[in-house]
Amino acid sequence: MSIGHTLLGLLESGPRHGYDLKRAFDEKFGHDRPLAYGQVYATMSRLLKNGLVEVDAVEVGGGPERKRYAITEAGITDVSQWLAQPEKPEPYLQSTLYTKVVLALLTGRSAAELLDTQRAEHLRLMRELTRRKQGGDLADQLICDHALFHLEADLRWLELTAARLDQLAKEIAR
């Protein structure tokens, strides 16, 4: 996820302080990985330097100065271009799971046991995500669906690989 573009998008509704941006980010996108304050301010500093935001106001109070940021026309254009670009699909051609299966076979360990352990972990996470989805709002449901679909694909791969272990062992032994 592009933190900079996400913060720019949040600024399109109006100027905000760094604290407000962090809170909005965490509410909308940071369910599992809240944004650190340092990351917000480092990102805003970079966006400011690149002319994508400007300081709309500076408030002086009992603590440090509070800058309120506003998106610039260049920032709006940048967000529009980012939103229009499709994300590159991740083909997972260098899978850690595949590497572990091959190494297990090469070293005489049980690849079937490795696949069973991984299957159990996938199923555990799928149950957890399903519970979360059932109790969540629409945004949480969509996020959980995305993760569940990927886990289902992984499970299909685990089953296919388990069915082909003997053939794979012969091929890598050559």
Side-chain angles (χ1 to χ4, degrees):
M1 175 189 314
S2 170
I3 303 299
H5 287 111
T6 305
L7 294 177
L8 283 172
L10 290 171
L11 281 173
E12 280 202 49
S13 64
R16 298 182 192 216
H17 295 97
Y19 174 82
D20 297 328
L21 285 167
K22 180 204 175 346
R23 189 176 64 227
F25 180 95
D26 289 351
E27 286 174 5
K28 302 282 187 215
F29 312 107
H31 293 104
D32 296 317
R33 262 186 261 150
L35 200 54
Y37 282 106
Q39 191 171 9
V40 171
Y41 294 110
T43 302
M44 295 311 295
S45 177
R46 189 182 78 250
L47 294 172
L48 187 63
K49 179 182 167 193
N50 292 336
L52 302 176
V53 298
E54 61 191 11
V55 175
D56 181 60
V58 177
E59 298 172 8
V60 180
E65 291 182 342
R66 292 184 58 190
K67 293 178 185 174
R68 189 172 68 194
Y69 299 95
I71 191 167
T72 63
E73 286 300 318
I76 291 170
T77 300
D78 196 57
V79 171
S80 294
Q81 290 172 347
W82 179 67
L83 289 173
Q85 281 182 333
E87 287 297 307
K88 181 181 175 197
E90 294 295 329
Y92 301 108
L93 293 178
Q94 285 298 322
S95 166
T96 303
L97 287 175
Y98 173 76
T99 301
K100 284 184 168 188
V101 168
V102 171
L103 286 175
L105 291 170
L106 287 172
T107 60
R109 293 179 173 89
S110 174
E113 195 174 297
L114 181 151
L115 291 169
D116 287 343
T117 301
Q118 190 63 52
R119 184 181 305 105
E121 181 60 17
H122 270 63
L123 291 170
R124 181 200 63 75
L125 182 55
M126 289 176 82
R127 285 189 297 273
E128 183 181 312
L129 288 169
T130 300
R131 280 191 298 275
R132 177 177 165 181
K133 177 182 161 180
Q134 290 169 345
D137 60 11
L138 181 58
D140 218 25
Q141 291 171 15
L142 290 170
I143 290 167
C144 289
D145 280 339
H146 186 264
L148 285 165
F149 293 146
H150 281 275
L151 290 168
E152 286 174 8
D154 286 351
L155 278 177
R156 287 195 314 268
W157 181 86
L158 290 167
E159 295 300 326
L160 180 66
T161 303
R164 295 178 172 174
L165 272 181
D166 291 339
Q167 182 184 352
L168 181 61
K170 289 176 190 171
E171 284 190 22
I172 63 172
R174 292 183 205 175

